[in-house]
Amino acid sequence: MSIKLLTKKNFYSDLFERNYISNLFDEISLQDNGSNVSEFLNKYAEGKSFLYSYTLVPNYLNVYIQKGVTFKKATQKQGFGVNLKGINTVDAYIKSQGSTNFKKVLFRSVNRLESSFNISYKMYFGYMERAHYQITMDALEQMISNRFQQRQGRNKDLDNWQKHCSQTLALINGKKASLFVIYNNEKPIEISLNYHLDHIMYSAISSFDLDYAKFSLGNIEIYKQLEWCLLNNMTFFDMGYGAFHYKKRWANTIYDFENYFISKRFGVLVFCAAFMAKYKFKTLNYLIDKHINDLFYDLIGYFKKPKKELAPLEYSFTPLQTLPTYPKTLIDISTGNFSFIRKAVYDYLYTSTEHMDDIKIFEPLNVPNLYLIEGKKTIVEIKF
């Protein structure tokens, strides 16, 4: 058997997505309570290599290395999570953790969402029918695609989407993954794909329908998932890496992702690799902070394929006292022909506290780019 110079593995994805660890690790336990998670993992035998590199090792875990090897580590980046130990309710956590303004915005968003639509929440954990799974994953893929077209950015999850689709249903049915969905009637409007390990839930991939942007669905998703975690004895809600504002707002734990370097015989390689990695990660984190990496990948994407952009439509609302008498026709925005005005209608619902079932939407026959909404309490004109 030939000997490789370097064997490189993603510890984080192996741990959560495949439940694998190398046989170079003796045991893995939760730092907070010492719970041994190794019993939930399958060990694989490493091939022969001079140096082994394991990226993205979260330091909220105690990782015990096989005896007789040389080991060093370097800090890669920060991760964010919610340690649920000692937390009785999500509302109590928000009151102790969040700012007054955040609490008001969050609770208002939940109330407005539930008073504007027929909302339900569903966690698929332990069983999901295949056809429904495929519909949900297709919806999540479309949400991510729309979101990153709007932001003109890249998304590595879309690049690996077939892998996610092929492996996740079996993990859901085996209680190693879950899909959390917010529904408006039967339509998914926010979806989160999570991975589970012992009492840890890792929120890996999530997105929402852009038409509902006013309602802060991302924050509502975390709020409802934390409720589920507390009801199901989860002790840590892991939001992974990426220093996004919403993660900083929710997290009570900021941890480090580390790169482990191990060698069975060649200790000098371990020291050299860890030394170089330390400065590599400092440089990369600086470039990420300055968004230079996004410019690089956007440039690559520009030459790979034509870029599609979703330019948001501009519109304005004008309150009316009565419904105009000029000719108009009642329209249904659930159909494709009028889908472009959904966001405007949903923004109106948020501000007016009307319910979708209680409004009528009209298109004037002889006035272009104008629509009318008649609710129980208000009448407005939408001008595009």
Side-chain angles (χ1 to χ4, degrees), residues 209-229:
D209 187 327
L210 294 174
D211 290 338
Y212 299 79
K214 193 80 171 177
F215 292 88
S216 300
L217 293 182
N219 283 318
I220 295 175
E221 169 235 306
I222 295 175
Y223 176 70
K224 293 297 180 178
Q225 291 212 106
L226 288 176
E227 282 187 339
W228 186 91
C229 285

PDB file of all heavy atoms in Angstrom, residues 209-229:
ATOM      1  N   ASP A 209     -38.834  31.770   2.146  1.00  0.00           N
ATOM      2  CA  ASP A 209     -39.461  32.383   0.979  1.00  0.00           C
ATOM      3  C   ASP A 209     -39.310  33.898   1.095  1.00  0.00           C
ATOM      4  O   ASP A 209     -39.770  34.516   2.061  1.00  0.00           O
ATOM      5  CB  ASP A 209     -40.939  31.981   0.955  1.00  0.00           C
ATOM      6  CG  ASP A 209     -41.658  32.427  -0.312  1.00  0.00           C
ATOM      7  OD1 ASP A 209     -41.317  33.490  -0.851  1.00  0.00           O
ATOM      8  OD2 ASP A 209     -42.570  31.696  -0.753  1.00  0.00           O
ATOM      9  N   LEU A 210     -38.672  34.499   0.108  1.00  0.00           N
ATOM     10  CA  LEU A 210     -38.376  35.931   0.158  1.00  0.00           C
ATOM     11  C   LEU A 210     -39.624  36.810   0.216  1.00  0.00           C
ATOM     12  O   LEU A 210     -39.558  37.954   0.673  1.00  0.00           O
ATOM     13  CB  LEU A 210     -37.541  36.331  -1.059  1.00  0.00           C
ATOM     14  CG  LEU A 210     -36.132  35.730  -1.140  1.00  0.00           C
ATOM     15  CD1 LEU A 210     -35.489  36.098  -2.470  1.00  0.00           C
ATOM     16  CD2 LEU A 210     -35.274  36.197   0.015  1.00  0.00           C
ATOM     17  N   ASP A 211     -40.755  36.287  -0.239  1.00  0.00           N
ATOM     18  CA  ASP A 211     -41.986  37.070  -0.191  1.00  0.00           C
ATOM     19  C   ASP A 211     -42.397  37.395   1.244  1.00  0.00           C
ATOM     20  O   ASP A 211     -43.137  38.347   1.481  1.00  0.00           O
ATOM     21  CB  ASP A 211     -43.130  36.331  -0.889  1.00  0.00           C
ATOM     22  CG  ASP A 211     -42.930  36.259  -2.399  1.00  0.00           C
ATOM     23  OD1 ASP A 211     -42.176  37.092  -2.940  1.00  0.00           O
ATOM     24  OD2 ASP A 211     -43.529  35.367  -3.033  1.00  0.00           O
ATOM     25  N   TYR A 212     -41.907  36.587   2.202  1.00  0.00           N
ATOM     26  CA  TYR A 212     -42.273  36.768   3.616  1.00  0.00           C
ATOM     27  C   TYR A 212     -41.163  37.463   4.408  1.00  0.00           C
ATOM     28  O   TYR A 212     -41.114  37.366   5.634  1.00  0.00           O
ATOM     29  CB  TYR A 212     -42.573  35.416   4.261  1.00  0.00           C
ATOM     30  CG  TYR A 212     -43.726  34.659   3.648  1.00  0.00           C
ATOM     31  CD1 TYR A 212     -43.566  33.937   2.464  1.00  0.00           C
ATOM     32  CD2 TYR A 212     -44.974  34.635   4.258  1.00  0.00           C
ATOM     33  CE1 TYR A 212     -44.625  33.229   1.902  1.00  0.00           C
ATOM     34  CE2 TYR A 212     -46.031  33.930   3.707  1.00  0.00           C
ATOM     35  CZ  TYR A 212     -45.838  33.235   2.514  1.00  0.00           C
ATOM     36  OH  TYR A 212     -46.892  32.527   1.977  1.00  0.00           O
ATOM     37  N   ALA A 213     -40.263  38.168   3.722  1.00  0.00           N
ATOM     38  CA  ALA A 213     -39.087  38.751   4.374  1.00  0.00           C
ATOM     39  C   ALA A 213     -39.454  39.669   5.537  1.00  0.00           C
ATOM     40  O   ALA A 213     -38.724  39.766   6.520  1.00  0.00           O
ATOM     41  CB  ALA A 213     -38.251  39.510   3.344  1.00  0.00           C
ATOM     42  N   LYS A 214     -40.573  40.350   5.443  1.00  0.00           N
ATOM     43  CA  LYS A 214     -40.994  41.300   6.480  1.00  0.00           C
ATOM     44  C   LYS A 214     -41.192  40.625   7.841  1.00  0.00           C
ATOM     45  O   LYS A 214     -41.081  41.273   8.884  1.00  0.00           O
ATOM     46  CB  LYS A 214     -42.299  41.968   6.044  1.00  0.00           C
ATOM     47  CG  LYS A 214     -42.705  43.186   6.851  1.00  0.00           C
ATOM     48  CD  LYS A 214     -41.935  44.408   6.416  1.00  0.00           C
ATOM     49  CE  LYS A 214     -42.493  45.662   7.051  1.00  0.00           C
ATOM     50  NZ  LYS A 214     -41.707  46.862   6.690  1.00  0.00           N
ATOM     51  N   PHE A 215     -41.447  39.320   7.819  1.00  0.00           N
ATOM     52  CA  PHE A 215     -41.854  38.622   9.040  1.00  0.00           C
ATOM     53  C   PHE A 215     -40.685  38.006   9.818  1.00  0.00           C
ATOM     54  O   PHE A 215     -40.914  37.297  10.805  1.00  0.00           O
ATOM     55  CB  PHE A 215     -42.877  37.537   8.697  1.00  0.00           C
ATOM     56  CG  PHE A 215     -44.194  38.075   8.218  1.00  0.00           C
ATOM     57  CD1 PHE A 215     -44.388  38.348   6.875  1.00  0.00           C
ATOM     58  CD2 PHE A 215     -45.227  38.341   9.100  1.00  0.00           C
ATOM     59  CE1 PHE A 215     -45.596  38.850   6.416  1.00  0.00           C
ATOM     60  CE2 PHE A 215     -46.432  38.853   8.659  1.00  0.00           C
ATOM     61  CZ  PHE A 215     -46.620  39.114   7.316  1.00  0.00           C
ATOM     62  N   SER A 216     -39.455  38.227   9.404  1.00  0.00           N
ATOM     63  CA  SER A 216     -38.269  37.728  10.126  1.00  0.00           C
ATOM     64  C   SER A 216     -38.345  36.226  10.389  1.00  0.00           C
ATOM     65  O   SER A 216     -38.197  35.756  11.524  1.00  0.00           O
ATOM     66  CB  SER A 216     -38.100  38.481  11.458  1.00  0.00           C
ATOM     67  OG  SER A 216     -37.935  39.859  11.247  1.00  0.00           O
ATOM     68  N   LEU A 217     -38.589  35.453   9.318  1.00  0.00           N
ATOM     69  CA  LEU A 217     -38.778  34.011   9.468  1.00  0.00           C
ATOM     70  C   LEU A 217     -37.547  33.314  10.023  1.00  0.00           C
ATOM     71  O   LEU A 217     -37.670  32.291  10.711  1.00  0.00           O
ATOM     72  CB  LEU A 217     -39.170  33.387   8.121  1.00  0.00           C
ATOM     73  CG  LEU A 217     -40.528  33.784   7.557  1.00  0.00           C
ATOM     74  CD1 LEU A 217     -40.791  33.050   6.245  1.00  0.00           C
ATOM     75  CD2 LEU A 217     -41.642  33.494   8.555  1.00  0.00           C
ATOM     76  N   GLY A 218     -36.351  33.831   9.733  1.00  0.00           N
ATOM     77  CA  GLY A 218     -35.143  33.211  10.265  1.00  0.00           C
ATOM     78  C   GLY A 218     -35.123  33.230  11.784  1.00  0.00           C
ATOM     79  O   GLY A 218     -34.777  32.221  12.426  1.00  0.00           O
ATOM     80  N   ASN A 219     -35.506  34.346  12.382  1.00  0.00           N
ATOM     81  CA  ASN A 219     -35.555  34.429  13.839  1.00  0.00           C
ATOM     82  C   ASN A 219     -36.687  33.582  14.410  1.00  0.00           C
ATOM     83  O   ASN A 219     -36.538  32.962  15.472  1.00  0.00           O
ATOM     84  CB  ASN A 219     -35.719  35.881  14.277  1.00  0.00           C
ATOM     85  CG  ASN A 219     -34.424  36.665  14.174  1.00  0.00           C
ATOM     86  OD1 ASN A 219     -33.356  36.165  14.523  1.00  0.00           O
ATOM     87  ND2 ASN A 219     -34.503  37.881  13.680  1.00  0.00           N
ATOM     88  N   ILE A 220     -37.816  33.545  13.710  1.00  0.00           N
ATOM     89  CA  ILE A 220     -38.925  32.708  14.179  1.00  0.00           C
ATOM     90  C   ILE A 220     -38.531  31.240  14.127  1.00  0.00           C
ATOM     91  O   ILE A 220     -38.860  30.451  15.029  1.00  0.00           O
ATOM     92  CB  ILE A 220     -40.190  32.961  13.337  1.00  0.00           C
ATOM     93  CG1 ILE A 220     -40.671  34.402  13.534  1.00  0.00           C
ATOM     94  CG2 ILE A 220     -41.300  31.972  13.695  1.00  0.00           C
ATOM     95  CD1 ILE A 220     -41.854  34.792  12.660  1.00  0.00           C
ATOM     96  N   GLU A 221     -37.793  30.847  13.094  1.00  0.00           N
ATOM     97  CA  GLU A 221     -37.325  29.457  12.988  1.00  0.00           C
ATOM     98  C   GLU A 221     -36.464  29.086  14.191  1.00  0.00           C
ATOM     99  O   GLU A 221     -36.663  28.032  14.804  1.00  0.00           O
ATOM    100  CB  GLU A 221     -36.515  29.282  11.702  1.00  0.00           C
ATOM    101  CG  GLU A 221     -35.762  27.968  11.591  1.00  0.00           C
ATOM    102  CD  GLU A 221     -34.299  28.168  11.342  1.00  0.00           C
ATOM    103  OE1 GLU A 221     -33.943  28.870  10.380  1.00  0.00           O
ATOM    104  OE2 GLU A 221     -33.483  27.619  12.127  1.00  0.00           O
ATOM    105  N   ILE A 222     -35.513  29.941  14.556  1.00  0.00           N
ATOM    106  CA  ILE A 222     -34.662  29.634  15.707  1.00  0.00           C
ATOM    107  C   ILE A 222     -35.488  29.582  16.985  1.00  0.00           C
ATOM    108  O   ILE A 222     -35.316  28.682  17.820  1.00  0.00           O
ATOM    109  CB  ILE A 222     -33.533  30.680  15.831  1.00  0.00           C
ATOM    110  CG1 ILE A 222     -32.606  30.589  14.622  1.00  0.00           C
ATOM    111  CG2 ILE A 222     -32.744  30.481  17.120  1.00  0.00           C
ATOM    112  CD1 ILE A 222     -31.525  31.660  14.597  1.00  0.00           C
ATOM    113  N   TYR A 223     -36.394  30.505  17.143  1.00  0.00           N
ATOM    114  CA  TYR A 223     -37.274  30.550  18.326  1.00  0.00           C
ATOM    115  C   TYR A 223     -38.046  29.242  18.486  1.00  0.00           C
ATOM    116  O   TYR A 223     -38.063  28.631  19.575  1.00  0.00           O
ATOM    117  CB  TYR A 223     -38.224  31.729  18.157  1.00  0.00           C
ATOM    118  CG  TYR A 223     -39.279  31.885  19.224  1.00  0.00           C
ATOM    119  CD1 TYR A 223     -38.951  32.265  20.514  1.00  0.00           C
ATOM    120  CD2 TYR A 223     -40.627  31.677  18.926  1.00  0.00           C
ATOM    121  CE1 TYR A 223     -39.917  32.430  21.487  1.00  0.00           C
ATOM    122  CE2 TYR A 223     -41.606  31.834  19.891  1.00  0.00           C
ATOM    123  CZ  TYR A 223     -41.253  32.205  21.174  1.00  0.00           C
ATOM    124  OH  TYR A 223     -42.223  32.355  22.135  1.00  0.00           O
ATOM    125  N   LYS A 224     -38.651  28.765  17.394  1.00  0.00           N
ATOM    126  CA  LYS A 224     -39.454  27.554  17.459  1.00  0.00           C
ATOM    127  C   LYS A 224     -38.588  26.306  17.600  1.00  0.00           C
ATOM    128  O   LYS A 224     -38.982  25.329  18.264  1.00  0.00           O
ATOM    129  CB  LYS A 224     -40.343  27.444  16.214  1.00  0.00           C
ATOM    130  CG  LYS A 224     -41.432  28.510  16.137  1.00  0.00           C
ATOM    131  CD  LYS A 224     -42.401  28.376  17.305  1.00  0.00           C
ATOM    132  CE  LYS A 224     -43.495  29.441  17.254  1.00  0.00           C
ATOM    133  NZ  LYS A 224     -44.472  29.291  18.376  1.00  0.00           N
ATOM    134  N   GLN A 225     -37.408  26.324  16.991  1.00  0.00           N
ATOM    135  CA  GLN A 225     -36.528  25.163  17.131  1.00  0.00           C
ATOM    136  C   GLN A 225     -35.963  25.048  18.543  1.00  0.00           C
ATOM    137  O   GLN A 225     -35.784  23.938  19.054  1.00  0.00           O
ATOM    138  CB  GLN A 225     -35.399  25.219  16.100  1.00  0.00           C
ATOM    139  CG  GLN A 225     -35.883  25.003  14.682  1.00  0.00           C
ATOM    140  CD  GLN A 225     -34.857  24.298  13.813  1.00  0.00           C
ATOM    141  OE1 GLN A 225     -34.994  23.127  13.504  1.00  0.00           O
ATOM    142  NE2 GLN A 225     -33.827  25.016  13.404  1.00  0.00           N
ATOM    143  N   LEU A 226     -35.682  26.180  19.170  1.00  0.00           N
ATOM    144  CA  LEU A 226     -35.237  26.134  20.564  1.00  0.00           C
ATOM    145  C   LEU A 226     -36.342  25.593  21.472  1.00  0.00           C
ATOM    146  O   LEU A 226     -36.064  24.863  22.430  1.00  0.00           O
ATOM    147  CB  LEU A 226     -34.787  27.519  21.024  1.00  0.00           C
ATOM    148  CG  LEU A 226     -33.466  28.032  20.451  1.00  0.00           C
ATOM    149  CD1 LEU A 226     -33.195  29.457  20.918  1.00  0.00           C
ATOM    150  CD2 LEU A 226     -32.305  27.121  20.820  1.00  0.00           C
ATOM    151  N   GLU A 227     -37.591  25.955  21.175  1.00  0.00           N
ATOM    152  CA  GLU A 227     -38.714  25.373  21.919  1.00  0.00           C
ATOM    153  C   GLU A 227     -38.702  23.848  21.793  1.00  0.00           C
ATOM    154  O   GLU A 227     -38.871  23.125  22.775  1.00  0.00           O
ATOM    155  CB  GLU A 227     -40.042  25.922  21.391  1.00  0.00           C
ATOM    156  CG  GLU A 227     -40.386  27.314  21.858  1.00  0.00           C
ATOM    157  CD  GLU A 227     -41.780  27.734  21.449  1.00  0.00           C
ATOM    158  OE1 GLU A 227     -42.340  27.156  20.492  1.00  0.00           O
ATOM    159  OE2 GLU A 227     -42.328  28.665  22.082  1.00  0.00           O
ATOM    160  N   TRP A 228     -38.501  23.371  20.558  1.00  0.00           N
ATOM    161  CA  TRP A 228     -38.458  21.923  20.325  1.00  0.00           C
ATOM    162  C   TRP A 228     -37.288  21.288  21.066  1.00  0.00           C
ATOM    163  O   TRP A 228     -37.423  20.208  21.656  1.00  0.00           O
ATOM    164  CB  TRP A 228     -38.353  21.645  18.831  1.00  0.00           C
ATOM    165  CG  TRP A 228     -38.446  20.184  18.481  1.00  0.00           C
ATOM    166  CD1 TRP A 228     -39.569  19.479  18.186  1.00  0.00           C
ATOM    167  CD2 TRP A 228     -37.355  19.247  18.409  1.00  0.00           C
ATOM    168  NE1 TRP A 228     -39.259  18.151  17.936  1.00  0.00           N
ATOM    169  CE2 TRP A 228     -37.907  17.993  18.068  1.00  0.00           C
ATOM    170  CE3 TRP A 228     -35.984  19.351  18.609  1.00  0.00           C
ATOM    171  CZ2 TRP A 228     -37.117  16.853  17.921  1.00  0.00           C
ATOM    172  CZ3 TRP A 228     -35.198  18.211  18.466  1.00  0.00           C
ATOM    173  CH2 TRP A 228     -35.765  16.980  18.129  1.00  0.00           C
ATOM    174  N   CYS A 229     -36.138  21.936  21.048  1.00  0.00           N
ATOM    175  CA  CYS A 229     -34.959  21.408  21.742  1.00  0.00           C
ATOM    176  C   CYS A 229     -35.217  21.222  23.228  1.00  0.00           C
ATOM    177  O   CYS A 229     -34.852  20.191  23.812  1.00  0.00           O
ATOM    178  CB  CYS A 229     -33.766  22.349  21.539  1.00  0.00           C
ATOM    179  SG  CYS A 229     -33.005  22.264  19.908  1.00  0.00           S
TER     180      CYS A 229
END
